[in-house]
Amino acid sequence: MELSALILLVVFFALLMLNVPISFCIGLATLATMLLSMDLLPALTTLAQRMAGGLNSFALLAIPFFVLSGLLMGRGGIAKRLIECAMALVGALPGGLALVNVMSCMLFGAISGSAVAATSAIGSFMLPEMKKQGYDTSYSAAVTAAAATTGMLIPPSNIMIVYAIASGGVSIAALFVAGYFPGILLGIALMIVCAGYAKVKGYPTGARLPLKLVAQKVAAAIPSLFMIFLVIGGIISGAFTATEAGAIAVVYSFILAVVVYREVKVSELGNILLKSTETTAIVLALIATSAAMSWILSYENIPQTVSQGLLTLSDNPILILLLINIILLIVGAFMDMTPAVLIFTPIFLPVAVELGMSPLHFGIMMILNLSIGLVSPPVGSVLFVACAIAKVRLEQLLKPLLPMYAAMFVVLMLVTYIPAISEWLPSVFGL
């Protein structure tokens, strides 16, 4: 077991450092580990079978639907209306534009389900506006990157669908509902940091708008926000499944972007479909190779060995959960969320259950933890998108991100050790 784990890690990280695409890193590391116990042809056949089996899930059909609806929303003028809504609600508070940035990312993330899309759509509009008002560009980019992670928790979220499959039975509807409180709590924590930072730096406060204008801006965003109620309300009520909800989200976002707002032309739909296909292919390649790696981990009894090792370290649940969080924070800094969830759920979920944590609670903790990895060097994808939009270097973002990292870690600890934050709302709806 020790040799197989060593081979898996060495091959994976060696390929990662050579800048090989991560799905190939996972697949080749899995193949190398298989070759320890079987010949080449059986290993290749097993790898292909496990990759195909990993994609043989009806729930995965929701991912291309939500990807496509997110792209339609991103190009359909949704971001602009959500920003104006957020500006009307919180723009007059200390550090108004930073708070608007956070709230806009929360709202857009809740609609698109993508941290990268939220960073791109909101950042492209907010960063130039914040620069005009005297905000430091690096700080503005840091705010956008950190706030975009809330979209991983506030549903609909593709990573929750992946976790539901990896955990072997957690309800997608329950995960969707469970993400609301932690996602909102994370957004509030970031807004508190932004308000304090604004006071220290002397950033300007926006003008207070008349109540009538506030109502107009909020009303203009209602058609966009209604998708949240349509999708989540339908899932909770049992009117349709998460997969069917994805298809409904595509139809609704198409009507909104093409017919109502008229921001997307029919001639642009081909490019949008192509982009959604590319994104879906990348995600499914990660899922397929990660499923194969999960199988070889189980075949070599690595999850059981890790579980036993962790439980023999201490009988204190607080320390064990802290150690799991630290490991996942390190993993998140080097690995994309999708393979991380598929690979480490079978390893750590049995430990969490042994400690009395529900699979639902663990899932929210894991997703929040790995969301921090999206804005953590060296691999954080959201971090690089923010750098590209702001035209700043990665190291320039790290200093303004430090207090935001602290806020995100505090929220992670609250979610880890207070189960009600994740579990209360699903229990209200009987999920």
Side-chain angles (χ1 to χ4, degrees):
M1 192 284 294
E2 292 82 0
L3 179 60
S4 60
L6 179 64
I7 293 293
L8 190 73
L9 291 172
V10 168
V11 174
F12 175 78
F13 283 107
L15 292 171
L16 195 65
M17 286 187 288
L18 292 172
N19 208 26
V20 175
I22 191 165
S23 58
F24 287 90
C25 295
I26 295 169
L28 291 172
T30 301
L31 179 61
T33 308
M34 286 179 174
L35 291 173
L36 292 175
S37 54
M38 58 185 80
D39 293 332
L40 178 60
L41 184 58
L44 289 171
T45 304
T46 303
L47 179 65
Q49 288 175 338
R50 294 301 166 180
M51 288 176 65
L55 297 178
N56 186 22
S57 171
F58 179 74
L60 286 178
L61 282 174
I63 292 178
F65 286 133
F66 282 123
V67 168
L68 178 55
S69 68
L71 286 171
L72 286 168
M73 286 283 186
R75 299 191 188 183
I78 311 301
K80 176 184 173 184
R81 288 164 176 84
L82 293 178
I83 289 170
E84 289 176 350
C85 174
M87 189 84 73
L89 293 174
V90 299
L93 298 175
L97 281 184
L99 302 187
V100 169
N101 199 334
V102 174
M103 180 171 279
S104 299
C105 285
M106 291 172 67
L107 294 173
F108 190 82
I111 291 172
S112 69
S114 169
V116 171
T119 305
S120 178
I122 302 301
S124 299
F125 185 91
M126 287 300 303
L127 295 186
E129 191 65 28
M130 292 178 76
K131 187 175 182 179
K132 283 184 200 174
Q133 298 294 327
Y135 286 78
D136 180 71
T137 302
S138 299
Y139 167 71
S140 303
V143 172
T144 306
T149 61
T150 58
M152 298 293 95
L153 290 164
I154 303 175
S157 172
N158 288 335
I159 198 63
M160 289 182 176
I161 298 171
V162 174
Y163 174 77
I165 294 168
S167 63
V170 177
S171 164
I172 295 175
L175 281 166
F176 277 7
V177 174
Y180 275 112
F181 277 178
I184 292 170
L185 185 62
L186 179 59
I188 291 172
L190 292 173
M191 291 173 102
I192 291 171
V193 170
C194 290
Y197 202 94
K199 286 192 174 182
V200 172
K201 295 289 186 178
Y203 287 139
T205 300
R208 189 177 297 274
L209 298 177
L211 189 59
K212 183 179 179 180
L213 187 55
V214 171
Q216 289 175 350
K217 297 294 184 183
V218 173
I222 286 176
S224 305
L225 296 172
F226 179 71
M227 193 180 96
I228 302 172
F229 298 98
L230 177 66
V231 171
I232 305 303
I235 294 173
I236 292 173
S237 66
F240 39 75
T241 65
T243 302
E244 293 164 345
I248 290 169
V250 170
V251 174
Y252 184 78
S253 57
F254 173 83
I255 293 171
L256 210 59
V258 178
V259 180
V260 178
Y261 293 153
R262 298 182 181 179
E263 300 269 355
V264 174
K265 297 177 182 177
V266 175
S267 59
E268 296 175 322
L269 292 176
N271 288 331
I272 292 174
L273 286 169
L274 180 60
K275 179 63 178 176
S276 69
T277 303
E278 291 174 355
T279 303
T280 300
I282 292 169
V283 172
L284 294 182
L286 287 169
I287 291 173
T289 52
S290 298
M293 182 177 278
S294 295
W295 179 84
I296 193 62
L297 288 171
S298 178
Y299 181 80
E300 296 289 346
N301 291 318
I302 294 174
Q304 295 86 338
T305 304
V306 173
S307 298
Q308 292 170 5
L310 284 173
L311 292 172
T312 55
L313 284 176
S314 171
D315 58 0
N316 188 333
I318 295 175
L319 292 178
I320 299 287
L321 289 176
L322 181 61
L323 179 60
I324 290 174
N325 272 310
I326 291 171
I327 294 172
L328 288 176
L329 285 170
I330 295 170
V331 167
F334 289 93
M335 187 179 290
D336 187 80
M337 288 184 76
T338 298
V341 166
L342 287 165
I343 293 167
F344 288 94
T345 296
I347 294 175
F348 291 132
L349 180 56
V351 180
V353 171
E354 183 74 20
L355 296 173
M357 179 181 275
S358 72
L360 177 66
H361 180 196
F362 176 78
I364 298 300
M365 181 197 85
M366 185 181 208
I367 291 168
L368 172 55
N369 193 308
L370 295 174
S371 295
I372 299 174
L374 294 175
V375 287
S376 300
V379 178
S381 55
V382 170
L383 210 54
F384 288 104
V385 172
C387 287
I389 295 171
K391 294 181 174 58
V392 296
R393 297 188 308 277
L394 176 62
E395 55 269 25
Q396 292 176 271
L397 261 67
L398 295 181
K399 185 176 179 180
L401 270 172
L402 289 177
M404 298 177 205
Y405 284 139
M408 296 170 87
F409 185 77
V410 168
V411 173
L412 175 61
M413 292 297 99
L414 291 174
V415 169
T416 299
Y417 297 115
I418 306 177
I421 294 175
S422 303
E423 296 178 342
W424 179 76
L425 198 55
S427 67
V428 170
F429 290 101
L431 299 172

